[in-house]
Amino acid sequence: MELKNNPHNRQKKRITSLTLSKDDLKTLCLKLQEKANSASKIEIENYVRGEIEEEQYKKDLETIKELFQLSITVTGKNGEEITGVVNELFDLASYPKEVKYVFIDTKIKFKVRNYNPLNGFRIFLDFTKPKIFDLNFLPSANTPNESNFEVEGYDTTWVTGVFADVSNFLNDRKSNFSFFHKHSIYDLLLYLLGFPISFWICYKLSDKLDTLFQNSFMVNASYMYVFLSSLVIFRLLFHYIRWVTPLVEYVYDGSRIGTHRTIAFSISISIVGAVIYDILKSFF
């Protein structure tokens, strides 16, 4: 099998903010299948028959159509994995309630046959969330996520069109809370909120600490301990907020993420409100 020697094009993007439900995911897969069908037509138009018989030639064309039927791999929260075509996959009884990963690659089937198609795409959706109590992870860094989308091929129009259409679909479903996952956002919040709140907690506990410890060293040590403990709690609260506002989120029926968001934001607003109230009270 020979391929036309046209310029090769590749467009790739990291998916840094996305919220999808099961219906959204199915809609995306249907859209991707349409793009794969158009790639199949281009492949057939450019397929070089060579010296093979008519019957074999027709079989090759049918094989190309079959190979462009997407195999969608969905991995559940507990590692269970299912693979299927878009019209069947989402109706399977084994379809996981909580989705961890979604992977689609139009070229995998072709590689088994040692054939490189003219055009194709690859998408990987990573719905994992950062751990709350993982203090080894620096909160100043971007939240790690491997979600990405890549289109490549010899047909510039097809590559550009597929990349634009899918990108627009993904952009229309961006998360409303992705700013919590940006680089250095924790540092900004630490200086604006973390340190002031920690000083405020020390102030609120000052009478009890002074009464509890008579020794000046112990009093100073207790203030330091309370201050540092408050910063640790602030960091854990920040991790919790990142956990309840995933960078790439899969929404499913029965999820308690809304309840967790209410708790996280209620705690945050209550603390900040109390600090502001005490500050205003001291001036008026």
Side-chain angles (χ1 to χ4, degrees), residues 17 31 247:
S17 179
K31 180 180 289 289
L247 194 63

Side-chain angles (χ1 to χ4, degrees), residues 68-249:
F68 269 107
Q69 290 298 308
L70 297 182
S71 287
I72 304 161
T73 300
V74 176
T75 304
K77 177 183 177 182
N78 299 318
E80 65 275 28
E81 185 175 288
I82 62 171
T83 301
V85 296
V86 62
N87 291 326
E88 299 174 359
L89 179 72
F90 294 94
D91 296 322
L92 294 176
S94 57
Y95 184 89
K97 182 177 182 181
E98 298 183 53
V99 174
K100 188 176 182 180
Y101 303 119
V102 175
F103 178 69
I104 304 172
D105 188 341
T106 58
K107 293 192 173 184
I108 286 182
K109 292 181 180 180
F110 287 96
K111 288 179 181 178
V112 176
R113 295 174 178 267
N114 197 31
Y115 178 77
N116 183 35
L118 288 168
N119 306 290
F121 56 78
R122 175 185 179 277
I123 186 168
F124 179 69
L125 299 178
D126 176 6
F127 293 108
T128 58
K129 297 185 289 187
K131 296 179 181 179
I132 300 175
F133 297 106
D134 184 8
L135 296 181
N136 291 320
F137 172 68
L138 296 177
S140 299
N142 291 324
T143 300
N145 191 279
E146 299 300 321
S147 299
N148 66 87
F149 175 57
E150 179 179 349
V151 188
E152 62 178 349
Y154 293 84
D155 190 309
T156 304
T157 302
W158 185 87
V159 171
T160 303
V162 172
F163 187 81
D165 286 350
V166 175
S167 293
N168 289 336
F169 180 91
L170 299 176
N171 290 336
D172 288 341
R173 290 159 178 80
K174 284 188 174 182
S175 168
N176 295 321
F177 306 101
S178 57
F179 60 89
F180 284 116
H181 301 270
K182 293 184 179 297
H183 186 274
S184 298
I185 189 66
Y186 173 76
D187 296 327
L188 178 62
L189 293 176
L190 182 64
Y191 283 102
L192 292 178
L193 298 174
F195 286 131
I197 289 173
S198 296
F199 283 122
W200 173 78
I201 292 175
C202 289
Y203 161 73
K204 298 296 286 186
L205 296 178
S206 59
D207 291 340
K208 293 183 179 180
L209 295 177
D210 291 341
T211 302
L212 183 62
F213 301 103
Q214 300 299 321
N215 182 283
S216 59
F217 172 80
M218 292 300 296
V219 171
N220 293 332
S222 65
Y223 275 108
M224 179 64 71
Y225 183 80
V226 169
F227 182 79
L228 294 177
S229 298
S230 300
L231 291 179
V232 171
I233 294 173
F234 179 80
R235 179 173 175 176
L236 290 176
L237 179 59
F238 180 77
H239 280 294
Y240 182 46
I241 290 176
R242 276 190 169 181
W243 185 80
V244 301
T245 58
L247 194 63
V248 178
E249 179 182 6

